[in-house]
């Protein structure tokens, strides 16, 4: 059913429209030209079935636009006529381009046309067109979200596609439109895993990311026992943990003990489908595409057992030889991984050493990784490396190195003193930025053990004269104020110097001078009382309101007056309270809650469209949802399977025609692998390996040959049932008229008998008649022109056809389940005639024998978009059963289902073997309902039209 005809049907059909009356033509500038029923006459002409009327309407519209008239309300009708012809074009590239253009028009009024075009393209024979349909789905969804339900039906259909070309595109559409509908993936999970290796790289990334989220909802955590044991073992106490933890409730202890016991009693067994995903993605770590390698790496990090995650390290290190942009993304993810999986990158420590030619952002990330990998074993090597980095001319990088040294000192207690002494030496550096960064880091380290390092505090106090960087000066002042009791002689002198330069200091330094004055007033008021008052008076009139407010607040707090509140009593507790030492942590510490490799992880913020990585389920969901039932009619003997596998297939399908037989073969093997994996027989189940199946077949070859001999008679009977043609008259068609053929006339018919040399071909019987007075010689075919994927088996050359005589020949054509014409030249010894054979849709199928129960079962599986129903009224001559059966079987090569309560017919398409089911239900007074169920929607739509015509003519 074409888009244009469907659109006409929506409008209730349209008949030919006559010419509008003179003066009512909107383009002619008549009295009604401003508003002639909103151009209804032109709309009717554009919806007409006659090309002449459409052309005339187009001319008038162009004339209107040329005169500056508004023709915007005619836009949908014009688009329909321009796009629809191309959407039905024989060339797959034209069809795809037409759909791409149509879906790119961002006008809501053409949404119905766009939806029809997508539905039709989703059933197209060409995988390239189906891929384009998948790309059009998110475009339509963004234009009109209310179409979501219909689009989900199309996505569900396309997800069942067996071609690698479509897989990535439809998963992308799924992610854009309905990522929450994880149930749509169940039946296609194993197929996607098995197809993954052959999908294009862009599609591989999309599918892997989707399957990562799917696996987190369907499988158990493979490291669950490990995490339970880690929790139970207690580990180190929290840094600020209180002694009350020792008095933990007995109930909590019992729960932990019970969890540990369960973990020991029930060892984790990985779901075969979980193993299938890990096994099928592992080879992609060797991909040339960095995005694919990164996608597999994140999948392993989020899904694999801890012991198996290490395989991704080598692949990620390999990517560090790539461009700086790739390095940046990879290092971001490696930095996150090294926090929880440090061990897997330790063997590659030298790969993260920094080169002088690296950009600053790469240097900082490598520094982050080296810091995360530092431990007692390799810290000496890493610190030596850091010492060389400090000499770099890149000041931002030097500052980051100093911070890294501070983190190493915090994490590894054995080297804390060494790091601290090294940083103190940097205080004599000529570069202010190096000194400033060192001061900030030293300040954080001193907070851990201030009593042991009073000499360092004194040394830093002397630097106030030289260091001009505000942050560094503020840090020194904070240290002296916080630990003024350790330097009682130096602290008041520092305050004196700072009071002199108060008005010239930066705001951050002024605030710390006020804090230092307050702390010294509380601990040594004799020496610092006047200095403190002087500083507070200066701050009282400062330009910055923060400094003025701070001064006012501190004065009321430390210098009690009658008006002071009760808070002044607690001034010492407020200012001199013990402050916990800062924890120097990696900025990547909590970033793994974003899915690795995602934009959100890169930005450390949730980006638009990001899908959260689900938590592992507590109990495993039912694994049987991924089992795929194999229909009875698709099951063939293992000997037939083995014959199919011996036929070599191209590695990639180069054309739309090849996808026909390839798809059917793939569907059977995929379905079979799905049912095998459903049995859960170990880790290997669900792989669907063709080599394994062929080995099984060869082992049982002798046994099958014996069975074949025993059942020879039965086999013949079954074959006869499958290929017998219904007893109906075969219609003949003219191929070459005797006038055009200069005396040679040719008629052809579809004999409805199996073509002997190829079961996928339709047998075409041709009758040649020589009406001339001379002999015709060398009748043969040349220059065959076919649509991509179609094949022809030429008839044997007729050497001589005497005058007045006739000859018959049979040729085979594989139409690839389409009604596209086979074009060729019919040649004699003197002339060549261009001819064309175009099959009616009913000749593209062969009858299949089904019982009534089998018919109902198969019909139940072909519902929804695979079912087309039409209502009609039969003429009195056609109301008896015999007439209905004869007209249906004449129109289509189908067989009658015996003993059916209704008139039911069954067949199978010749090329792909797709079932075609027809039901005719008659009621009172000729009211009839015609139903066609077919997986191939295009064939079903065309067949409905033909049968409808046959029953009503």
């Amino acid at each position: 059913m074409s888009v244009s005809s469907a659109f006409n049907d929506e409008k209730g059909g349209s008949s030919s429209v006559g010419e509008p009356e003179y003066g009512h033509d909107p383009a002619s500038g008549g009295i009604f030209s401003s508003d002639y029923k909103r151009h209804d006459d032109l709309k009717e002409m554009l919806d007409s079935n006659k090309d002449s009327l459409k052309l005339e309407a187009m001319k008038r519209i162009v004339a209107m636009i040329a005169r500056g008239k508004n023709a915007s309300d005619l836009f949908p009708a014009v688009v329909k006529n321009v796009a629809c012809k191309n959407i039905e074009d024989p060339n797959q590239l034209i069809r795809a381009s037409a759909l791409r253009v149509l879906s790119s028009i961002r006008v809501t009024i053409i949404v119905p046309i766009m939806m029809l075009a997508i539905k039709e393209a989703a059933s197209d024979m060409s995988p390239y067109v189906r891929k384009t349909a998948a790309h059009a789905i998110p475009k339509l969804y963004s234009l009109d979200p209310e179409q979501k339900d219909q689009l989900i039906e199309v996505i569900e259909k396309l997800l069942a596609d067996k071609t690698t070309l479509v897989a990535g595109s439809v998963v992308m559409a799924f992610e854009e439109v309905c990522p929450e509908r994880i149930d749509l993936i169940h039946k296609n999970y194993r197929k996607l895993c098995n197809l993954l290796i052959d999908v294009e790289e862009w599609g591989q990334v999309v599918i892997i990311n989707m399957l990562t989220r799917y696996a987190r909802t369907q499988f158990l955590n493979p490291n669950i026992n490990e995490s339970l044991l880690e929790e139970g073992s207690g580990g180190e106490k929290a840094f600020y943990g209180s002694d009350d933890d020792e008095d933990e409730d007995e109930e909590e202890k019992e729960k932990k003990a019970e969890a540990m016991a369960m973990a020991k009693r029930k060892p984790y067994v990985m779901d075969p489908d979980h193993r299938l995903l890990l096994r099928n993605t592992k080879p992609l770590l060797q991909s040339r595409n960095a995005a694919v390698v990164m996608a597999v790496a994140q999948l392993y990090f989020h899904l694999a057992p801890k012991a198996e995650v290490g395989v991704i390290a080598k692949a990620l290190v390999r990517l560090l030889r790539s461009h700086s942009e790739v390095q940046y993304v990879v290092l971001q993810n490696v930095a996150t991984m090294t926090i929880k999986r440090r061990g897997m990158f330790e063997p590659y420590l030298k790969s993260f050493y920094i080169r002088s030619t690296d950009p600053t952002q790469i240097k900082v990330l490598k520094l982050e990784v080296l810091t995360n990998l530092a431990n007692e074993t390799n810290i000496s090597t890493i610190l030596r490396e850091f010492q060389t980095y400090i000499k770099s001319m890149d000041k931002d990088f030097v500052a980051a190195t100093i911070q890294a040294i501070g983190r190493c000192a915090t994490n590894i207690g054995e080297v804390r003193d060494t790091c601290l002494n090294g940083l103190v030496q940097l205080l004599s550096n000529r570069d202010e930025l190096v000194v400033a960064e060192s001061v900030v880091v030293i300040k954080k380290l001193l907070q851990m053990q201030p009593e042991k390092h009073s000499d360092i505090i004194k040394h830093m106090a002397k630097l106030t004269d030289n260091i001009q960087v505000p942050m560094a000066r503020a840090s020194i002042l904070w240290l002296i104020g916080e630990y003024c009791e350790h330097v009682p002689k130096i602290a008041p002198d520092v305050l004196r110097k700072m009071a002199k330069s108060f008005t010239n200091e930066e705001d951050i330094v002024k605030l710390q001078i006020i804090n230092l004055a307050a702390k010294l007033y509380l601990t040594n008021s004799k020496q610092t009382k006047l200095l403190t008052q002087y500083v507070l008076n200066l701050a009282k009139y400062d330009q910055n309101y923060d400094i003025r407010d701070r001064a006012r607040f501190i004065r009321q707090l430390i210098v009690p007056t009658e008006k002071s509140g009760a808070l002044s009593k607690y001034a010492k507790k407020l200012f001199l309270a013990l402050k916990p030492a800062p924890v120097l942590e990696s900025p990547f510490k909590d970033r793994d809650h974003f899915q690795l490799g995602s934009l959100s992880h890169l930005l450390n913020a949730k980006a638009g469209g990001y899908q959260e990585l689900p938590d592992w389920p507590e109990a495993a969901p039912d694994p049987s949802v991924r089992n795929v039932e194999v229909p009875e009619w698709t099951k063939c003997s293992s000997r037939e399977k083995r014959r199919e596998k011996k036929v070599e297939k191209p590695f990639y399908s180069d054309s739309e025609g090849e996808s026909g037989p390839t798809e059917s073969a793939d569907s059977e093997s995929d379905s079979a692998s799905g049912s095998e994996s459903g049995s859960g027989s170990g880790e290997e189940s669900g792989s669907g390996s063709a080599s394994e199946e062929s080995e099984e077949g060869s082992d049982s070859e002798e046994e099958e040959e014996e069975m074949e001999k025993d059942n020879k008679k039965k086999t013949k009977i079954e074959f006869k049932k499958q290929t017998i043609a219904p007893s109906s008259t075969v219609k003949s068609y003219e191929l070459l008229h005797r006038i055009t053929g200069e005396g040679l006339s040719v008629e052809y018919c579809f004999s409805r008998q199996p073509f002997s040399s190829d079961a996928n071909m339709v047998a075409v019987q041709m009758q040649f008649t020589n009406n001339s007075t001379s002999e015709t010689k060398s009748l043969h075919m040349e220059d065959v022109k076919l649509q991509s994927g179609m094949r022809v088996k030429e008839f044997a050359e007729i050497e001589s056809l005497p005058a007045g005589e006739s000859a018959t020949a049979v040729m085979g054509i594989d139409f690839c389940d389409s009604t596209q014409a086979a074009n060729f030249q019919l040649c004699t010894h003197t002339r060549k005639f261009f001819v064309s054979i175009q099959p009616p849709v009913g000749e593209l199928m062969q009858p299949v024998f089904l019982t009534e129960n089998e018919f109902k079962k198969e019909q139940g599986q072909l519902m929804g978009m695979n079912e087309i129903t039409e209502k009609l009224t039969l003429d009195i001559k056609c109301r008896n059963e015999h007439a209905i059966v004869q007209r249906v079987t004449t129109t289509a090569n189908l067989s009658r289902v015996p003993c059916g309560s209704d008139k039911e017919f069954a067949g199978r398409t010749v090329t792909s073997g797709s079932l075609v089911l027809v039901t005719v239900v008659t009621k009172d007074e000729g009211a009839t309902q015609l139903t066609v169920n077919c997986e191939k929607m295009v064939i079903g739509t065309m067949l409905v039209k033909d049968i409808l015509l046959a029953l009503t003519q």
Side-chain angles (χ1 to χ4, degrees):
M1 184 175 184
S2 68
V3 176
S4 55
S5 61
F7 194 89
N8 288 338
D9 289 344
E10 273 191 357
K11 296 201 171 229
S14 64
S15 57
S16 60
V17 182
E19 292 289 332
E21 293 179 11
Y22 179 76
H24 290 239
D25 178 10
S28 65
I31 56 172
F32 300 111
S33 61
S34 60
D35 185 14
Y36 176 66
K37 294 186 180 178
R38 302 296 298 170
H39 312 304
D40 280 356
D41 60 334
L42 289 173
K43 288 180 183 177
E44 288 180 6
M45 291 170 74
L46 287 170
D47 287 339
S48 168
N49 291 326
K50 292 186 177 180
D51 289 340
S52 58
L53 288 174
K54 289 182 180 180
L55 188 61
E56 178 64 25
M58 290 288 192
K59 288 178 181 177
R60 293 185 183 186
I61 292 168
V62 171
M64 284 175 61
I65 295 170
R67 295 185 184 194
K69 303 292 183 182
N70 181 10
S72 59
D73 57 327
L74 293 168
F75 181 74
V78 173
V79 167
K80 179 189 68 177
N81 281 283
V82 172
C84 295
K85 281 253 181 185
N86 290 328
I87 285 174
E88 296 163 4
D89 194 277
N91 189 323
Q92 58 173 340
L93 298 177
I94 300 295
R95 297 201 301 276
S97 298
L99 178 59
R100 193 178 294 114
V101 170
L102 186 64
S103 61
S104 299
I105 299 172
R106 316 302 292 164
V107 180
T108 53
I109 200 166
I110 66 165
V111 164
I113 301 173
M114 207 186 297
M115 175 60 77
L116 284 169
I118 291 173
K119 285 182 177 179
E120 189 164 315
S123 302
D124 197 279
M125 284 190 57
S126 166
Y128 180 71
V129 178
R130 299 199 296 274
K131 176 189 178 80
T132 308
H135 286 169
I137 289 171
K139 295 180 184 178
L140 178 54
Y141 178 67
S142 65
L143 184 62
D144 185 6
E146 292 182 4
Q147 304 294 325
K148 182 174 180 178
D149 291 340
Q150 291 188 62
L151 290 174
I152 288 175
E153 290 181 12
V154 182
I155 289 172
E156 186 173 9
K157 178 178 178 59
L158 288 173
L159 278 171
D161 202 296
K162 301 297 189 299
T163 53
T164 54
L165 195 64
V166 181
S169 302
V170 68
V171 170
M172 187 66 203
F174 168 82
E175 290 284 74
E176 291 282 341
V177 177
C178 54
E180 74 284 352
R181 288 289 306 274
I182 212 80
D183 57 293
L184 299 179
I185 306 298
H186 290 324
K187 297 289 184 186
N188 304 292
Y189 171 81
R190 291 169 184 155
K191 180 197 70 179
L192 288 172
C193 288
N194 290 323
L195 286 181
L196 194 56
I197 196 75
D198 293 323
V199 176
E200 77 276 13
E201 292 163 344
W202 171 84
Q204 287 174 341
V205 174
V206 173
I207 294 172
I208 290 170
N209 286 328
M210 183 276 293
L211 290 178
T212 303
R213 288 193 303 106
Y214 177 85
R216 285 289 287 254
T217 64
Q218 299 301 310
F219 308 130
L220 290 177
N221 183 357
N223 302 307
I224 186 159
N225 291 352
E226 209 170 285
S227 58
L228 281 172
L229 291 171
E230 283 175 5
E231 286 176 16
S233 61
E236 294 182 10
K237 285 186 185 179
F239 189 79
Y240 304 112
S242 63
D243 295 334
D244 297 338
D245 293 343
E246 295 177 5
D247 304 326
E248 190 178 22
D249 294 343
E250 290 297 324
E251 291 182 11
E252 292 294 324
K253 289 182 179 178
E254 286 177 10
K255 285 180 182 177
K256 283 186 178 178
E258 188 179 344
M260 288 174 64
M262 285 181 67
K264 290 177 182 176
R265 276 200 311 271
K266 296 182 179 178
Y268 170 78
V269 178
M270 184 177 283
D271 189 298
D273 286 326
H274 191 172
R275 172 59 60 197
L276 173 68
L277 177 60
L278 295 175
R279 185 171 59 245
N280 285 16
T281 51
K282 187 176 178 180
L284 295 178
L285 286 171
Q286 299 172 24
S287 173
R288 64 182 179 179
N289 188 294
V292 175
V293 176
M294 192 64 248
V296 178
Q298 65 84 25
L299 181 140
Y300 262 73
F301 182 80
H302 291 303
L303 300 182
K306 195 173 182 179
E308 298 179 26
V309 180
V311 298
I312 67 175
K314 188 175 182 179
L316 291 175
V317 169
R318 173 172 64 85
L319 296 182
L320 296 180
R321 302 179 194 136
S322 188
H323 304 294
S324 58
E325 295 84 2
V326 174
Q327 288 184 53
Y328 181 75
V329 175
V330 171
L331 285 168
Q332 287 263 359
N333 289 276
V334 169
T336 303
M337 293 179 189
T338 49
I339 293 172
K340 286 193 175 180
R341 299 276 191 272
R342 185 172 64 186
M344 69 181 187
F345 287 101
E346 281 182 15
Y348 306 99
L349 187 70
K350 291 185 179 179
S351 299
F352 300 102
Y353 284 177
I354 295 159
R355 300 181 180 89
S356 59
T357 55
D358 287 336
T360 302
Q361 66 268 26
I362 300 297
K363 290 178 180 176
V364 172
L365 285 172
K366 283 186 174 180
L367 201 61
E368 179 68 33
V369 174
L370 287 172
T371 309
N372 290 344
L373 294 178
N375 56 29
E376 293 83 353
T377 309
N378 59 25
I379 186 63
S380 57
T381 308
I382 290 176
L383 284 177
R384 278 200 303 273
E385 192 73 15
F386 286 175
Q387 284 174 357
T388 61
Y389 299 162
I390 290 171
K391 300 173 185 176
S392 171
M393 299 299 292
D394 187 343
K395 300 309 172 191
D396 292 333
F397 171 50
V398 171
T401 304
I402 294 169
Q403 291 175 11
I405 293 172
R407 271 182 52 203
C408 288
T410 306
N411 298 335
I412 305 166
E414 291 83 347
V415 296
R416 187 172 300 154
D417 292 342
T418 308
C419 292
L420 199 53
N421 292 331
L423 291 170
V424 170
Q425 289 176 15
L426 290 177
L427 296 177
S428 58
N429 195 291
R430 292 180 182 178
D431 195 316
E432 276 192 3
L433 285 172
V434 174
V435 176
E437 201 65 44
S438 301
V439 168
V440 175
V441 174
I442 289 170
K443 169 204 156 189
K444 293 176 180 177
L445 292 177
L446 287 180
Q447 284 183 258
M448 296 178 183
Q449 294 173 317
E451 65 282 352
K452 292 184 181 180
H453 303 293
S454 56
D455 292 340
I456 295 175
I457 297 173
K458 291 175 185 176
H459 180 67
M460 293 178 71
K462 294 175 185 177
L463 295 174
T464 52
D465 295 333
N466 301 322
I467 294 177
Q468 298 302 320
V469 178
M471 190 64 192
R473 290 173 71 81
S475 297
I476 293 173
L477 293 175
W478 185 91
L479 265 178
I480 294 169
E482 188 67 19
Y483 305 114
C484 56
E485 295 176 358
H486 298 291
V487 285
K489 295 180 180 179
I490 293 176
D493 198 45
V494 172
L495 179 62
R496 180 181 59 79
K497 288 183 179 180
M498 291 295 107
K500 281 184 180 181
S501 60
F502 183 86
T503 53
N504 299 321
E505 299 288 350
E506 293 289 333
D507 291 345
I508 189 173
V509 180
K510 287 178 180 178
L511 289 172
Q512 290 305 327
I513 293 172
I514 296 170
N515 284 346
L516 173 63
K519 290 173 182 176
L520 288 174
Y521 183 90
L522 292 171
T523 57
N524 189 1
S525 61
K526 289 181 181 179
Q527 284 184 290
T528 58
K529 184 176 181 180
L530 293 174
L531 276 172
T532 302
Q533 288 178 354
Y534 176 70
V535 169
L536 291 175
N537 286 335
L538 288 174
K540 183 178 180 181
Y541 300 103
D542 196 88
Q543 290 182 351
N544 188 305
Y545 60 84
D546 280 338
I547 294 169
R548 297 197 301 269
D549 289 349
R550 179 74 62 89
R552 188 178 296 112
F553 166 71
I554 285 178
R555 188 190 294 276
Q556 293 296 323
L557 204 58
I558 65 174
V559 186
T561 60
E562 294 178 1
K563 295 181 180 180
S564 298
L567 201 60
S568 60
K569 298 176 185 178
Y570 305 102
K572 278 193 176 183
K573 288 186 178 179
L574 286 171
F575 280 99
L576 304 175
L578 287 173
K579 297 172 181 64
V583 180
L584 298 177
E585 291 181 336
S586 168
F588 291 86
K589 184 183 178 186
D590 297 320
R591 204 178 282 196
D592 64 336
H593 68 276
F594 290 117
Q595 187 172 343
L596 267 65
S598 64
L599 179 62
S600 298
H601 175 268
L602 193 72
L603 302 175
N604 198 23
K606 188 173 180 180
Y610 174 73
Q611 297 294 322
E612 294 284 353
L613 195 65
D615 292 326
W616 293 102
E618 293 182 4
D622 182 13
S624 65
V625 294
R626 288 181 291 279
N627 292 345
V628 181
E629 293 183 10
V630 185
E632 291 294 325
W633 58 270
T634 63
K635 295 179 181 177
C636 56
S637 69
S638 55
R639 184 173 183 81
E640 288 173 344
K641 281 187 185 177
R642 190 164 62 254
R643 281 177 186 164
E644 285 177 10
K645 285 165 189 162
K646 286 179 182 176
V647 178
E648 290 186 7
K649 295 181 190 175
F651 190 73
Y652 290 109
S653 177
D654 294 328
S655 63
E656 59 173 304
E658 289 176 9
S659 68
T662 306
E663 280 184 51
S664 61
D666 287 347
S667 66
E668 292 181 10
S669 60
D670 284 355
S671 302
S673 68
S675 60
E676 286 169 14
S677 59
S679 62
S681 55
E683 291 181 359
E684 295 303 316
S685 63
S687 65
S689 170
S691 59
E692 291 171 12
E693 290 178 11
S694 61
E695 285 172 13
E696 291 172 10
S698 61
D699 292 339
S700 58
E701 188 173 347
E702 294 178 4
E703 184 181 340
E704 285 177 11
E705 284 178 0
E706 291 177 9
M707 290 174 66
E708 188 176 358
K709 290 177 183 177
D710 294 339
N711 297 328
K712 192 173 181 182
K713 186 177 179 182
K714 182 179 177 182
T715 307
K716 283 184 177 179
I717 294 170
E718 289 179 356
F719 181 79
K720 188 177 180 183
K721 284 179 181 177
Q722 294 292 330
T723 60
I724 189 168
S727 56
S728 59
T729 54
V730 177
K731 188 176 179 181
S732 292
Y733 303 88
E734 186 177 68
L735 185 65
L736 185 65
H737 192 270
R738 59 187 177 83
I739 297 175
T740 311
E742 298 178 3
L744 177 66
S745 64
V746 185
E747 289 188 343
Y748 68 92
C749 67
F750 299 93
S751 64
R752 298 192 174 182
Q753 297 297 327
F755 189 66
S756 56
S757 59
D758 193 328
N760 287 335
M761 288 189 171
V762 175
V764 180
Q765 187 170 303
M766 307 173 71
Q767 184 169 13
F768 303 87
T769 305
N770 187 356
N771 301 294
S772 67
T773 55
S774 60
E775 182 184 25
T776 300
K777 296 179 182 178
S778 185
L779 268 170
H780 64 282
M781 292 170 58
E782 283 183 10
D783 194 21
V784 179
K785 293 182 180 179
L786 305 172
Q787 294 298 321
S788 183
M790 290 170 56
R791 297 176 296 126
V792 162
K793 181 73 172 176
E794 298 179 5
F795 62 86
E797 181 179 346
I798 301 174
E799 295 180 358
S800 174
L801 184 62
E805 293 193 13
S806 299
T808 304
V810 178
M811 64 184 293
I813 306 177
D814 181 359
F815 288 101
C816 248
D817 289 352
S818 79
T819 55
Q820 302 292 342
N823 304 301
F824 57 93
Q825 285 186 358
L826 192 60
C827 305
T828 67
H829 65 297
T830 57
R831 290 298 309 273
K832 294 182 179 181
F833 306 100
F834 289 94
V835 293
S836 178
I837 296 179
Q838 185 169 17
V841 69
E843 304 298 342
L844 299 177
M845 49 201 71
Q846 58 188 14
V848 60
F849 178 81
L850 293 178
T851 64
E852 186 177 10
N853 289 338
E854 288 172 340
F855 183 92
K856 296 296 183 187
K857 182 182 177 183
E858 297 297 346
Q859 191 179 41
Q861 294 177 359
L862 291 170
M863 305 293 282
M865 292 177 67
N866 296 321
E867 182 175 274
I868 303 161
T869 302
E870 290 285 349
K871 292 183 178 179
L872 64 149
T873 303
L874 294 177
D875 189 67
I876 298 175
K877 297 176 182 178
C878 190
R879 290 181 186 177
N880 62 78
E881 185 173 334
H882 175 72
I884 293 172
V885 172
Q886 186 180 19
R887 294 193 182 197
V888 172
T889 52
T890 301
T891 306
N893 190 15
L894 304 171
S895 65
R896 175 82 185 276
V897 175
C899 305
S901 54
D902 301 318
K903 286 163 276 299
E904 297 165 339
F905 308 86
R908 187 189 307 161
T909 59
V910 174
T911 301
S912 64
S914 300
L915 266 185
V916 181
L917 308 177
V918 176
T919 311
V920 181
V921 180
T922 53
K923 299 177 182 177
D924 298 336
E925 298 181 358
T928 305
Q929 180 171 298
L930 170 64
T931 305
V932 173
N933 300 81
C934 182
E935 184 182 349
K936 293 185 174 292
M937 289 175 59
V938 175
I939 287 181
T941 306
M942 295 170 73
L943 187 59
V944 164
K945 279 187 176 180
D946 287 359
I947 296 178
L948 204 62
L949 187 64
L951 291 174
T952 53
Q953 67 183 5

